[in-house]
Amino acid sequence: MSCGKTYLTDEVKALVGVTGERVPASLWGIEREGLRRFCQALMDPDPRYWDDQFARTTKYGETITPAIYCTYLDRTPPGAEDPVTRAFRENPASDGIGGVRRGRGALPDVPTELKRILNAGNEIELYKYPRLGDNIFSQAKYASIAERVGSDGSHMLIVTAETRYTDQQGQLLCITRASTIRR
Amino acid sequence: MPTAEELRSKKQVHYDDVKEGQEMPPYVIGPITPTHIFRWSAAIENWHRIHYDQDFAVYHDGLPNVVAQGTWKQSVMPQYLKDLCLPDGWAWKVSFQHRAMIVPGDTLTCHAKVTKRYVKEGLGFVELEVGMKNQDDVETCPGSGTIVLPLRGGRPVPYPFVPPKE
């Protein structure tokens, strides 16, 4: 039984479909050393990611990266303010990541008084593996915002943001959808 | 988990080889250590202290220990499906929820069970119930996935992947 007010206001509903700018999602493109570190941390020894000669014999025809790798390339550029130092300067008990700084291409905040954010799940669609040398671009949008009523009658929002990753030729690599619960 | 040599020489599983209800070969990962978790944070530059600072994780955030990252799970699940499809199939979709935490000492088993199979435009689509259970059989990320396998004697799965028309 619902005992709370609705948080799915017209202002919140208007966000569905709002799309951010298409922005570079990698600093220097995909390079071999970063790929090695990523694959070893993932514990994926697939030779398609490092053995150029073998990779040429596969259906991909060249060395590739894990499909999801293109979503992890947004790094702090050299010369930019150090985010770790900033986080602890602002709060000596920082969690290490500090306050969220909205960068280029980011979506506007959801206008709600619901402050608690929980990770509800992920969806991933894959179309092409990134390659060494690729420059990656991303574009985010609000795919859906829905309201649910919890067993205690409290209302919550389920916010799903979709991000499309493409290469320098506009070829779609993957689509991710991250859902969060606001309560 | 498969070795590099196993991935290099893996034989293709065809659509004709799988049946509804069939369990696909599992992946076993672990035991996970704090160093594995720290290495992932370093590789993707995730500085959140709950992943490498045990005092912060336990005394500030009330967690049982440092915890593995959701991004790691989000990366392992496509890897698992990719390896099921090699060399010529395609891991098209995967979705899952984040449930139980993964902590040092856990040994994880990625699993997949065929829930539905169908042919469209000459390609074999296999829908899966997927997840990653810990050593106590607790599900850490229940979800679903779709892989695309070639039919025996059928056309190759296109690359880049082109989904069928609805």
Side-chain angles (χ1 to χ4, degrees):
Chain A
M1 183 183 70
S2 169
C3 61
K5 68 176 184 181
T6 181
Y7 291 94
L8 191 58
T9 62
D10 289 343
E11 196 181 4
V12 169
K13 287 180 194 171
L15 278 182
V16 176
V18 168
T19 303
E21 185 185 0
R22 180 175 182 258
V23 293
S26 59
L27 188 56
W28 286 317
I30 292 180
E31 42 79 27
R32 197 179 289 272
E33 175 59 15
L35 175 59
R36 178 193 65 80
R37 292 182 61 184
F38 182 85
C39 291
Q40 290 179 343
L42 182 57
M43 295 180 272
D44 186 344
D46 196 328
R48 291 161 184 78
Y49 304 147
W50 51 269
D51 184 339
D52 294 349
Q53 192 175 350
F54 172 70
R56 279 195 289 273
T57 70
T58 69
K59 73 182 292 178
Y60 314 114
E62 59 191 325
T63 302
I64 55 169
T65 83
I68 197 81
Y69 183 53
C70 61
T71 69
Y72 295 118
L73 298 173
D74 188 15
R75 304 285 162 79
T76 304
E81 183 184 26
D82 174 16
V84 175
T85 302
R86 181 186 63 209
F88 286 95
R89 184 178 62 237
E90 292 176 354
N91 175 13
S94 169
D95 58 7
I97 53 177
V100 174
R101 298 295 196 277
R102 190 183 303 143
R104 286 178 57 208
L107 295 172
D109 288 335
V110 177
T112 178
E113 63 193 69
L114 299 169
K115 297 300 178 201
R116 194 164 175 222
I117 301 177
L118 303 169
N119 191 340
N122 295 87
E123 289 181 45
I124 304 165
E125 289 181 25
L126 306 174
Y127 294 93
K128 185 177 186 291
Y129 291 118
R131 304 166 300 176
L132 288 174
D134 273 353
N135 288 304
I136 308 299
F137 297 81
S138 66
Q139 188 167 32
K141 78 170 183 181
Y142 281 115
S144 67
I145 303 178
E147 188 168 41
R148 285 195 195 152
V149 180
S151 55
D152 62 353
S154 64
H155 288 226
M156 63 188 89
L157 293 176
I158 312 294
V159 180
T160 300
E162 174 183 296
T163 305
R164 298 170 71 88
Y165 291 88
T166 50
D167 66 14
Q168 62 280 355
Q169 293 165 326
Q171 170 72 50
L172 179 63
L173 302 173
C174 73
I175 302 171
T176 64
R177 294 184 193 87
S179 295
T180 52
I181 299 170
R182 310 291 177 96
R183 61 187 310 171
Chain B
M1 297 176 81
T3 65
E5 288 313 306
E6 288 168 339
L7 293 170
R8 195 187 293 271
S9 58
K10 182 175 176 293
K11 300 293 183 217
Q12 182 65 51
V13 174
H14 292 86
Y15 174 78
D16 319 64
D17 301 328
V18 301
K19 296 178 173 55
E20 283 189 17
Q22 179 177 335
E23 301 275 358
M24 303 301 277
Y27 246 24
V28 178
I29 309 171
I32 298 296
T33 68
T35 311
H36 288 104
I37 297 172
F38 166 76
R39 182 172 60 175
W40 180 257
S41 275
I44 67 163
E45 299 186 13
N46 172 348
W47 312 124
H48 200 167
R49 293 167 68 186
I50 60 172
H51 302 308
Y52 55 86
D53 182 338
Q54 189 182 47
D55 281 354
F56 184 87
V58 172
Y59 298 116
H60 185 274
D61 273 29
L63 299 169
N65 200 335
V66 293
V67 294
Q69 301 84 350
T71 53
W72 181 75
K73 286 191 279 187
Q74 177 179 305
S75 302
V76 169
M77 295 308 290
Q79 173 191 351
Y80 172 52
L81 297 190
K82 178 262 294 179
D83 289 350
L84 292 177
C85 293
L86 284 176
D88 292 322
W90 187 251
W92 179 25
K93 294 180 183 179
V94 63
S95 65
F96 52 86
Q97 297 178 333
H98 295 278
R99 295 276 180 86
M101 286 179 281
I102 296 172
V103 295
D106 281 352
T107 295
L108 304 160
T109 301
C110 295
H111 59 90
K113 182 178 181 180
V114 178
T115 56
K116 185 178 176 185
R117 63 196 279 282
Y118 53 93
V119 175
K120 229 176 194 181
E121 298 180 9
L123 301 174
F125 291 80
V126 179
E127 294 184 1
L128 303 164
E129 175 187 287
V130 301
M132 184 188 290
K133 289 184 176 177
N134 70 14
Q135 63 286 345
D136 298 321
D137 210 35
V138 174
E139 186 58 73
T140 69
C141 56
S144 60
T146 304
I147 60 175
V148 186
L149 299 174
L151 277 65
R152 201 174 296 282
R155 73 177 178 107
V157 177
Y159 180 78
F161 180 65
V162 180
K165 295 180 180 68
E166 290 301 325

